[in-house]
Every structure is written in C-alpha cells, then in structure tokens.
Amino acid sequence: MNQPSLPSPSTRGPADHDIRNQIVAAANEHFSQYGYGKTTVSDLAKAIGFSKAYIYKFFDSKQAIGEAICSQCLAEIVAAVEQAISEDGLSATERFRRLVKALITTGVNLFFNDRKLYDIAAFSASERWPSSQVYNERIKSFVLQIVREGRELGEFERKTPLDETVDAIHLALRPFVNPLLLQYNLDYVEEAPTLTCNLILRSLMP
C-alpha cells in the first residue's frame, strides 16, 4: 500500500540546507519562548541577522517554517508506529495493540521531552495544516491495513463495511492521535491504551 507522506515545507530560492536549518532553529527557539502566534517573520530575521526578504527566499510564509517544525514532530510519531507494527509474524490483534501503544507513548514522550515541537504540532492540528491532515491520513491508513489483514485472516468480523469500521476506530483513537487533544488527556494515558484496545478489539471479534 502506498502511504501518503508528510508534505515538505513550501520553499523558495536557494536550496541551501544550512540556511534553512538556521531559520528553522531560530523559529524553534522563538516559538518555544513566545508562541507561534506572537512570533513574526521580522522577529526571526532579527534573531538570525537576516533581512525578512532574505528569509522569504527560503520559506514563502511563517506557516511554511512552522510546517517544517511540525513535520519533524509528526514524522517521529509515524516512524514509531510503522516500526511497532511492521514486525513479521504478528497477529492483526497484536499489531493493533502495538499501534495504539506506539501512538500514545511517542506522543506523550514528545509532549514532555520536546514540548516546543509538540506545541507546533498541536497548533497545526487546530489550524488544520496540511502536515497535520496528512498525519491523520497516515494513521488512518495504518488502521485500514491492520483491519483488512485481520479480516483476511479471520480474526475480525466482516459484516460491517470496512470504511465504516476504520472511520469509527480512527474517531475512537482521536483523543490520543490528535496532538491538540492529547494534551488534555494526559491523565488517562496509563490506562487508556489497554481500555481502548480492549473495547475496539471486542467490537472486531467475528
């Protein structure tokens, strides 16, 4: 199955990765101190020692810089999930449990250990940035893959339409998939994976 990839930030001009990285690093620092909404491209230009016009040679907007940061965060979660469910010989049931555990564990780790990245991801979810929407589709595609495999192996029921089943599971996982919502559900991350998995897996039984 071809997976949608997280979008690259919209860029212009020279393909100088060192300069791009310098801009992103400065943006990271400013966003963590002052918040995304209060930081302007002029602030970033002043911090780096560039003109605003020069920054626009590399990124076409402040959002494009934010997208570069957001993509780093969401790509970590996607990579963790992909690694967790890709092991050979696992049942669909075990793959699903691993998916939920990796989603929640990685999201919580980012929240506590790299909060500035996580805050940008939460902002992107609230504003429905392309990176956030593609991330949601990636997670949904993992769910589809697992449910389809479970049906083919006879582990899961086949009466409910596949798209309805996948949509329902994705919605049930939303408080822990969506970075904006996860920060309000941290009190439940110890018990939520097991309870959520058990409920969903019971509904999938043939």
Side-chain angles (χ1 to χ4, degrees):
M1 177 188 297
N2 290 327
Q3 304 282 5
S5 57
L6 292 174
S8 300
S10 180
T11 58
R12 295 175 173 174
D16 189 325
H17 294 294
D18 288 339
I19 299 297
R20 292 189 196 283
N21 291 339
Q22 192 175 352
I23 294 170
V24 170
N28 235 332
E29 185 65 27
H30 268 265
F31 294 160
S32 65
Q33 289 188 35
Y34 307 109
Y36 175 83
K38 294 183 179 180
T39 300
T40 66
V41 174
S42 296
D43 294 331
L44 300 180
K46 184 177 180 180
I48 307 171
F50 294 158
S51 69
K52 185 164 69 171
Y54 188 66
I55 289 180
Y56 280 129
K57 290 182 178 181
F58 295 88
F59 294 94
D60 64 12
S61 66
K62 183 178 77 168
Q63 180 177 325
I65 301 172
E67 285 276 17
I69 298 171
C70 179
S71 293
Q72 293 175 20
C73 176
L74 298 180
E76 284 189 45
I77 300 176
V78 168
V81 171
E82 199 159 22
Q83 181 178 9
I85 68 174
S86 62
E87 184 178 327
D88 292 336
L90 296 176
S91 66
T93 297
E94 180 58 27
R95 288 191 203 283
F96 183 74
R97 289 190 183 279
R98 288 188 174 206
L99 176 144
V100 175
K101 182 177 180 181
L103 270 175
I104 297 176
T105 300
T106 310
V108 170
N109 285 343
L110 283 169
F111 183 89
F112 286 112
N113 298 328
D114 209 339
R115 183 62 187 268
K116 58 189 176 184
L117 281 181
Y118 194 91
D119 284 347
I120 293 295
F123 188 93
S124 77
S126 69
E127 297 296 314
R128 297 182 61 81
W129 285 1
S131 56
S132 178
Q133 294 184 57
V134 172
Y135 165 71
N136 273 320
E137 289 303 312
R138 287 295 303 273
I139 300 305
K140 193 172 181 179
S141 71
F142 289 142
V143 173
L144 172 62
Q145 173 187 330
I146 292 170
V147 173
R148 181 176 285 154
E149 178 185 358
R151 289 186 170 197
E152 291 172 353
L153 296 174
E155 287 184 57
F156 299 157
E157 62 89 16
R158 303 179 185 180
K159 294 180 181 179
T160 310
L162 181 61
D163 58 347
E164 181 180 323
T165 299
V166 172
D167 285 344
I169 294 172
H170 190 245
L171 285 172
L173 296 177
R174 196 162 181 260
F176 308 104
V177 171
N178 186 307
L180 182 63
L181 299 180
L182 177 58
Q183 61 187 329
Y184 300 114
N185 288 281
L186 293 174
D187 290 341
Y188 307 103
V189 295
E190 291 295 329
E191 57 187 12
T194 300
L195 293 176
T196 303
C197 278
N198 288 346
L199 178 64
I200 292 172
L201 289 170
R202 280 196 296 271
S203 74
L204 293 174
M205 290 177 64

